[in-house]
């Protein structure tokens, strides 16, 4: 009797287990049908890579142009000529004598005219207005040149997940640039935001505006390398990993020096000590620590700001030249070696332009060349870093 009960119990449980397995199998099949399998994107064609790379490089070039025009706007004291901001209205400058006179009268109500330009004529005002107008229109053209192709490439499925994230970041930075530009201009239009009552934009906002532009430019240029650069043949080339890491230090020094230069521009600090290597009769200016609290000297004291930029510039020059000379015996590969040599030559030229700008009391042409040189220096450092990243390491 007990053996029969045991047999029936086992048979019933076998049927239950079999039914459970059938249910699980049916569930798996239904899941496989309803859940789509994500297929990886097909590799891009060479033509698609070229188009994306050229678009990124063109966007980087437009960003560089905005930096150069912005520098000229600053050097010619044109940045505060347009006293309002409208997305559409700004694109139509005054066309009649009456409209120009109305715009000029609006400009007269702000600190720059009251403190510096009381003798300005309408024709002189038109010159600075058109300079700022060109800067704003260039910035908007940069946004369009980036956004429209990005939309097309995205719709065609040419971006992977990583590139989609980067495109959104670049687009966000372009928008932030426009907002920072107007935020910077506003600081020079209202007396309560002026530093020491001077008719000038806030050096903090100027540094943020310029620094964001350099970060955007670096990101666009680096990613253009990815699409435009074909694999190099390194044969037996192997380099210690430290050489590739060292370029990050050079890039960091370069960017910090650029930001320090923005404070020099914001405070017109290049005019206070037009001598080199000493600042007047001193190695360290005696008024270095006149402001309180002490940290304000780093950003608001013209003598201290110029001294800091000098030290950072010379430190960057020494670091790049030391790196270049020490790496001559290392087989970098053809592209990386060329980038290293161009970087070394550019830092010598850039330092010479900086010294000349000081000694000749900040002439516009030389000062603009110095700011443009910072873009070239950063570009060669990025090119070097990109190529060293691809060289096999030991």
């Amino acid at each position: 009797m007990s053996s029969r009960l045991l047999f029936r119990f086992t048979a019933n449980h076998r049927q239950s287990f079999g039914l459970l397995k059938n249910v699980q199998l049916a569930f798996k099949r239904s899941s496989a049908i309803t859940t789509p399998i994500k297929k990886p994107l097909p590799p891009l064609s060479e033509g698609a890579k070229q188009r994306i790379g050229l678009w990124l490089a063109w966007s980087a070039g437009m960003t560089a142009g905005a930096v150069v025009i912005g520098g000229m706007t600053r050097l010619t004291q044109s940045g505060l000529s347009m006293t309002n901001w409208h997305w559409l209205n700004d694109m139509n400058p005054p066309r009649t004598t009456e409209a120009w006179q109305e715009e000029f009268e609006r400009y007269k109500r702000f600190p720059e005219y009251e403190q510096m330009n009381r003798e300005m004529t309408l024709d002189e005002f038109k010159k600075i207005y058109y300079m700022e107008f060109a800067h704003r229109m260039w910035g908007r053209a940069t946004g369009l040149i980036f956004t429209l192709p990005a939309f097309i490439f995205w719709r065609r499925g040419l971006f992977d997940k990583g590139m989609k994230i980067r495109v959104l970041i670049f687009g966000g930075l372009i928008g932030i640039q426009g907002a920072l530009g107007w935020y910077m201009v506003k600081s020079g239009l209202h007396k309560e935001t002026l530093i020491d009552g001077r008719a000038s934009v806030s050096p903090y906002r100027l540094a943020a505006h310029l620094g964001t532009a350099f970060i955007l430019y670096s990101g666009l240029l680096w990613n253009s390398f990815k699409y435009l650069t074909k694999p190099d043949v390194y044969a037996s080339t192997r380099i210690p990993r430290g050489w590739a890491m060292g370029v990050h230090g050079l890039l960091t020094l370069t960017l910090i020096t650029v930001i320090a230069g923005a404070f020099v521009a914001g405070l017109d600090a290049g005019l206070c000590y037009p001598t080199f290597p000493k600042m007047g009769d001193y190695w360290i200016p005696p008024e270095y620590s006149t402001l309180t609290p002490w940290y304000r000297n780093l950003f608001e004291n013209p003598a201290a700001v110029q001294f800091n930029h000098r030290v950072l510039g010379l430190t960057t020059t020494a670091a790049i030249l030391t790196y270049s000379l020490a790496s001559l015996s290392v087989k970098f590969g053809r592209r990386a070696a060329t980038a290293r040599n161009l970087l070394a030559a550019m830092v010598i030229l850039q330092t010479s332009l900086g010294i000349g700008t000081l000694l000749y009391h900040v002439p516009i042409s030389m000062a603009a060349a110095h700011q443009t040189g910072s873009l070239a220096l950063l570009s060669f450092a990025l090119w070097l870093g990109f190529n060293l990243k691809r060289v096999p390491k030991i």
Side-chain angles (χ1 to χ4, degrees):
M1 185 68 178
S2 61
S3 61
R4 286 182 181 179
L5 290 173
L6 181 61
F7 176 78
R8 289 178 181 176
F9 178 81
T10 305
N12 290 336
H13 278 71
R14 282 177 181 174
Q15 292 177 358
S16 301
F17 287 134
L19 181 61
L20 180 61
K21 287 181 179 179
N22 290 336
V23 171
Q24 290 176 340
L25 183 60
F27 180 77
K28 288 180 179 179
R29 287 176 179 173
S30 64
S31 298
I33 294 172
T34 57
T35 304
I37 298 174
K38 290 185 178 181
K39 295 181 180 180
L41 290 174
L44 292 176
S45 65
E46 289 301 316
K49 288 181 180 179
Q50 285 289 317
R51 288 191 293 273
I52 294 174
L54 289 173
W55 159 65
L56 289 167
W58 190 258
S59 298
M62 291 294 292
T63 304
V67 171
V68 173
I69 296 173
M72 290 293 294
T73 302
R74 172 66 191 164
L75 289 166
T76 56
Q77 303 292 329
S78 304
L80 299 177
S81 56
M82 296 179 70
T83 54
N84 52 26
W85 188 92
H86 296 288
W87 172 250
L88 293 177
N89 292 348
D90 286 358
M91 300 177 72
N92 295 305
R95 299 185 183 279
T96 65
T97 303
E98 293 77 12
W100 274 113
Q101 191 62 47
E102 182 181 349
E103 193 69 33
F104 190 29
E105 292 301 322
R106 183 183 297 113
Y107 172 71
K108 290 180 180 180
R109 297 198 294 267
F110 292 93
E112 184 174 75
Y113 177 83
E114 295 175 0
Q115 295 181 12
M116 301 165 55
N117 292 330
R118 284 188 170 275
E119 304 301 321
M120 177 176 280
T121 64
L122 180 60
D123 287 337
E124 290 171 336
F125 171 71
K126 288 181 180 180
K127 291 179 182 179
I128 65 171
Y129 185 96
Y130 276 126
M131 178 63 73
E132 172 64 8
F133 176 79
H135 183 46
R136 292 194 187 190
M137 292 306 102
W138 190 281
R140 287 171 187 172
T142 302
L144 288 175
I145 287 173
F146 175 83
T147 304
L148 293 179
F151 178 77
I152 295 171
F153 292 144
W154 192 305
R155 287 292 301 271
R156 291 182 179 178
L158 299 181
F159 294 153
D160 58 20
K161 183 179 179 181
M163 189 60 191
K164 287 180 179 179
I165 294 173
R166 290 190 290 273
V167 166
L168 292 175
I169 291 173
F170 296 151
L173 285 173
I174 290 173
I176 289 171
Q177 268 295 90
L180 279 174
W182 175 240
Y183 184 60
M184 176 186 70
V185 168
K186 283 183 66 177
S187 67
L189 297 177
H190 303 290
K191 294 180 179 180
E192 61 270 16
T193 55
L194 300 178
I195 292 182
D196 295 330
R198 293 191 323 118
S200 179
V201 300
S202 164
Y204 296 99
R205 300 184 190 185
L206 175 62
H209 188 49
L210 183 65
T212 305
F214 270 77
I215 292 171
L216 174 63
Y217 172 77
S218 300
L220 291 168
L221 189 65
W222 181 276
N223 281 272
S224 73
F225 293 157
K226 293 182 179 180
Y227 287 95
L228 294 175
T229 306
K230 295 181 179 179
D232 204 353
V233 178
Y234 296 105
S236 59
T237 302
R238 299 288 186 277
I239 65 167
R241 193 172 298 276
W243 290 106
M245 296 299 295
V247 181
H248 295 293
L250 300 181
L251 281 167
T252 301
L253 267 175
T254 302
L255 283 172
I256 292 174
T257 305
V258 166
I259 300 301
F263 282 96
V264 173
L267 294 170
D268 292 325
L271 297 170
C272 63
Y273 277 105
T275 57
F276 189 85
K278 287 185 175 182
M279 300 182 73
D281 296 326
Y282 305 92
W283 289 106
I284 301 175
E287 62 269 46
Y288 187 92
S289 302
T290 55
L291 299 181
T292 55
W294 65 269
Y295 57 80
R296 287 183 57 205
N297 292 283
L298 303 178
F299 309 108
E300 299 178 29
N301 182 338
V305 165
Q306 190 198 124
F307 176 80
N308 294 340
H309 186 53
R310 287 187 184 210
V311 171
L312 284 167
L314 293 174
T315 302
T316 302
T317 302
I320 290 174
L321 293 179
T322 300
Y323 180 96
S324 301
L325 291 172
S327 65
L328 288 176
S329 59
V330 182
K331 294 182 179 180
F332 272 9
R334 177 178 56 87
R335 289 178 182 169
T338 301
R340 175 196 59 200
N341 297 338
L342 288 172
L343 180 64
M346 189 63 229
V347 80
I348 294 172
L349 177 59
Q350 177 68 350
T351 304
S352 301
L353 285 170
I355 295 171
T357 301
L358 276 174
L359 297 180
Y360 289 97
H361 301 269
V362 194
I364 292 176
S365 58
M366 190 174 290
H370 183 55
Q371 184 166 2
T372 306
S374 64
L375 283 166
L377 188 68
L378 182 64
S379 301
F380 291 138
L382 288 167
W383 180 234
L384 174 59
F386 178 82
N387 283 289
L388 283 184
K389 186 177 180 180
R390 306 175 83 178
V391 177
K393 309 299 188 297
I394 55 176

